[in-house]
Each structure stands twice: as structure tokens, then as C-alpha cells.
């Protein structure tokens, strides 16, 4: 499940020139790094095509997906996976604010909710986004039909241990989840291709 936001650049701006968006400036202002995932969902620190996974190196979560493929026609699409961390929701909102700062006149459309919203409405909804992420984590861990509890993270997939599943099923906030995701991805390790460890 994801929260997907389409950022539509107002047409009056498009009549005069192609929208100028500076990804490097966004990365610097928001303190983010980026890459693209390969066929094994492992992050490679380069951008392939028009899409990228953005993440905060100081609090690595599941990553914010950014698709710039339609910017020439006036749209950027961004999303984050649910459940995610509180810090990543804050990073997502910071990205939206930076996109607004650069492009000025934008409209937002939430794909899952099938509705338009303003930047102010999105920001005011932050606590609800965090609460929904927590409830989604608990619901995911409470589902005993799964044989494995796998998350696609910013840098690579991760499977929760049985103890972690039991803990997150009843957790009161996202703090431990956030710390777990960051600690696992912040380690300087080599991730072998899946064909090598089957």
C-alpha cells in the first residue's frame, strides 16, 4: 500500500516555458540522497530514467518514490510506502514544500483518496498520516496468514523476525520501527544478489 501524490503544475506557467525543476537543489535543501532500485529491489546510487528513490541518510526508512517522467506535461508523482516512519512522512512533506517553492503554482491530487487537496491541507493532515501508518504496521503484523513479513526499504528488502512482528503488532508509536529500519540500512554491508543465497 502507498500514499501517492500527483503534483500538477498550473497550466498558465506551462504556456510560457517548460517547468524548471532542480532535483539537486531539492536534495540539498531537504538533506536527502537518492538512487534507483535494481531487479532485486536493492538501491543503486544512481538515477535510471526519470524515477528515483529519495531517502534521508540520517534516518533511512522505506524511501520516497519520485517520478519526473511527466514533468514536461506538468506533473510530478511522489509516493511513500505504508507503513512508514514518522521521519519519512516529515521528509515527504518537506519534499512537497520544496517542490512548491520551486514551481510556485501547483495543485495536489491524492491518487488513493481520489481527491484534490492544498499543500496546507496536506501539512495539516500530518498527524493523521502518522497514525494511519502506525495502524497499518500493527494490522500488517497482526495478519497471521503471512509466512514472512517483508518490507521493501529504501536500500534493500528486510524481513521482520518473529519477535519484531510480535512487538510491532502492539506497539504504541513508530519510534522503534523507525530505529530498526535506519539501523539495518545504515550498516556498511554488501548485499548479495538473491541468486547467490537461495
Amino acid at each position: 500500500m502507498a500514499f501517492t501524490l500527483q503534483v500538477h503544475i498550473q497550466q498558465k506557467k506551462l504556456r510560457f516555458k517548460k517547468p524548471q525543476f532542480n532535483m539537486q537543489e531539492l536534495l540539498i535543501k531537504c538533506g536527502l540522497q537518492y538512487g534507483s532500485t535494481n531487479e532485486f529491489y536493492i538501491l543503486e546510487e544512481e538515477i535510471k530514467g526519470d524515477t528515483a528513490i529519495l531517502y534521508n541518510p540520517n534516518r533511512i526508512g522505506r524511501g520516497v518514490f519520485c517520478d519526473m517522467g511527466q514533468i514536461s506535461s506538468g506533473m510530478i508523482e511522489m509516493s511513500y510506502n505504508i507503513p512508514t516512519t514518522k521521519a519519512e512522512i516529515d521528509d515527504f512533506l518537506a519534499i512537497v514544500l520544496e517542490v512548491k517553492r520551486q514551481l510556485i503554482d501547483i495543485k495536489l491530487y491524492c491518487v488513493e483518496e481520489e481527491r484534490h487537496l492544498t499543500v496546507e491541507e496536506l501539512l495539516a493532515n500530518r498527524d493523521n498520516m502518522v497514525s494511519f501508518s502506525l495502524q497499518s504496521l500493527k494490522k500488517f503484523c497482526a495478519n497471521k496468514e503471512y509466512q514472512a513479513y517483508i518490507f521493501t526499504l529504501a536500500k534493500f528488502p528486510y524481513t521482520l523476525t518473529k519477535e519484531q512482528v510480535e512487538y510491532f503488532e502492539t506497539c504504541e508509536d513508530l519510534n522503534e520501527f523507525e530505529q530498526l529500519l535506519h539501523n539495518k540500512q545504515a550498516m556498511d554491508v554488501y548485499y548479495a544478489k538473491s541468486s547467490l543465497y537461495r
Side-chain angles (χ1 to χ4, degrees), residues 162-173 176-177:
K162 182 181 178 206
E163 294 77 19
Q164 290 165 340
V165 170
E166 289 171 359
Y167 176 79
F168 292 131
E169 184 179 350
T170 60
C171 64
E172 296 299 317
D173 58 43
E176 292 293 325
F177 184 62

Side-chain angles (χ1 to χ4, degrees), residues 131-148:
S131 178
F132 184 72
S133 192
L134 175 61
Q135 295 310 315
S136 298
L137 175 62
K138 293 165 91 167
K139 184 177 178 182
F140 176 74
C141 290
N143 188 338
K144 302 306 177 198
E145 294 179 10
Y146 297 132
Q147 291 184 359

Side-chain angles (χ1 to χ4, degrees), residues 34-45 53-55 57 60-64 81 83 88 149-160 164 177-194 197:
Y34 65 91
S36 296
T37 54
N38 64 21
E39 64 272 20
F40 302 107
Y41 298 99
I42 297 170
L43 188 78
E44 296 177 352
E45 306 223 344
I53 304 294
L54 311 179
Y55 67 95
I60 310 168
R62 299 189 69 191
V64 174
N81 289 317
E88 193 152 80
Y149 295 80
I150 302 171
F151 287 108
T152 304
L153 306 181
K155 291 191 165 190
F156 48 76
Y158 178 73
T159 303
L160 295 178
Q164 290 165 340
F177 184 62
E178 182 173 313
Q179 197 62 47
L180 171 72
L181 298 190
H182 176 75
N183 288 346
K184 291 296 178 185
Q185 295 178 92
M187 295 188 304
D188 188 18
V189 296
Y190 172 75
Y191 196 94
K193 290 186 178 181
S194 63
Y197 60 81

